[in-house]
Amino acid sequence: METLNAAELLAALGHESRLSIFRLLVEAGTEGLFPSVIGEKLGLPAPTLSFHLSHLTRVGLIRGQKESRFIRYSAEYATMDELIAFLTSNCCQGEACLPKTSACDTVAKRRKLGDDTSSC
Amino acid sequence: METLNAAELLAALGHESRLSIFRLLVEAGTEGLFPSVIGEKLGLPAPTLSFHLSHLTRVGLIRGQKESRFIRYSAEYATMDELIAFLTSNCCQGEACLPKTSACDTVAKRRKLGDDTSSC
DNA sequence: TTTATATTTCTATAATACTTGAACTATGGA
DNA sequence: TCCATAGTTCAAGTATTATAGAAATATAAA
């Protein structure tokens, strides 16, 4: 991941509403959530929520799938994995802080759940 | 770490110049770097650089120590550790993605280098 | 077909953040 | 003391982002 791309992801998460939205979706798992539920939980007006959802979607941190009148939003775990890998890659004077196996174990765990979109 | 605080850190890193500055300092280790060196490497005018350095300092991601006419800036690894812990804490449907031991090993490693400011 | 619901897009406004020349402060050397 | 250097702060302009009411779209239910 390049610095510019990482900065984009970090900026997307660097807003209280968007970070809250993203965390709700991470907790919700592959089932995801509908905007109405998110808006209810966070007390956000629909247009404001829509604005943030489209921002998070644009940078690839979440994804929306249409289901009749609803749109099911869910977290893109692979993007988050890559971001965390980027953030830890140059830590501790060039040695990786977290062994690669940890990140890959995480991916492997999700792979069993049928949610593998990672290149790990 | 609370959401608001995490969002502040993420927003600080969510700018290409600041992310580059931070990564330079992470790579530089405890020795840190002087603004003149950073400005040279990244091609930033002094006031612009100063603006970003003070932003990163304010949120606690870096620290500046005066040394005669110079100011030695260095990364605050503990803050970054906490941020990464926050980002991974609700991952994978509530189970921590990365075993706690990994994060703590990292802290232990730095503790040996005399740079322990973490609560891990 | 009318109505209700979920969500988005449009629009305007408000707020915040970024950039950088110029001026300033602090320190060390001549 | 005078000058040079490192870095910051000031000030003003520019750009970007966030907010939310109103209008639009799409689907489903009555």
Side-chain angles (χ1 to χ4, degrees):
Chain A
M1 184 176 299
E2 291 142 30
T3 306
L4 179 58
N5 188 219
E8 243 174 34
L9 296 177
L10 290 163
L13 294 173
H15 183 283
E16 206 185 355
S17 299
R18 280 193 299 267
L19 184 55
S20 299
I21 292 167
F22 181 72
R23 280 171 73 82
L24 280 181
L25 291 177
V26 163
E27 283 174 25
T30 50
E31 200 186 325
L33 292 171
F34 299 125
S36 54
V37 176
I38 300 172
E40 171 75 20
K41 290 201 188 210
L42 301 180
L44 292 174
T48 303
L49 176 60
S50 188
F51 171 83
H52 292 308
L53 286 171
S54 89
H55 188 157
L56 287 167
T57 303
R58 176 161 36 81
V59 301
L61 278 164
I62 68 174
R63 156 188 33 174
Q65 175 97 21
K66 200 155 193 209
E67 284 184 22
S68 88
R69 263 187 303 179
F70 307 83
I71 301 178
R72 184 184 298 276
Y73 280 97
S74 54
E76 287 280 20
Y77 294 98
T79 305
M80 195 60 185
D81 281 348
E82 282 171 36
L83 177 59
I84 290 188
F86 175 88
L87 289 176
T88 53
S89 64
N90 289 50
C91 196
C92 309
Q93 287 77 264
E95 299 168 36
C97 275
L98 305 167
K100 263 210 173 117
T101 48
S102 288
C104 288
D105 282 354
T106 301
V107 172
K109 192 164 69 180
R110 273 207 290 283
R111 200 170 277 152
K112 284 184 196 157
L113 299 170
D115 183 35
D116 178 30
T117 46
S118 163
S119 60
C120 195
Chain B
M1 183 176 303
E2 292 141 31
T3 307
L4 179 58
N5 188 218
E8 244 174 34
L9 296 178
L10 290 163
L13 294 174
H15 183 283
E16 206 185 355
S17 299
R18 281 194 299 268
L19 184 55
S20 300
I21 292 167
F22 182 71
R23 281 172 72 83
L24 279 181
L25 291 177
V26 164
E27 284 175 23
T30 50
E31 199 185 328
L33 292 171
F34 299 124
S36 54
V37 176
I38 300 171
E40 171 74 19
K41 288 201 188 210
L42 300 180
L44 293 173
T48 304
L49 176 60
S50 189
F51 171 84
H52 292 308
L53 286 172
S54 89
H55 188 157
L56 288 167
T57 303
R58 176 163 34 82
V59 301
L61 279 164
I62 68 174
R63 156 187 35 173
Q65 173 95 22
K66 199 154 194 212
E67 284 185 21
S68 90
R69 264 186 303 179
F70 308 83
I71 301 178
R72 184 184 298 274
Y73 281 96
S74 53
E76 287 278 19
Y77 294 99
T79 305
M80 196 59 186
D81 281 347
E82 283 172 36
L83 177 60
I84 291 188
F86 175 88
L87 289 176
T88 54
S89 65
N90 288 50
C91 197
C92 308
Q93 288 77 263
E95 299 170 36
C97 274
L98 305 167
K100 265 213 171 112
T101 48
S102 288
C104 289
D105 283 354
T106 301
V107 172
K109 192 165 71 179
R110 275 208 288 284
R111 201 170 274 152
K112 285 184 195 158
L113 299 171
D115 183 35
D116 178 31
T117 47
S118 163
S119 60
C120 196

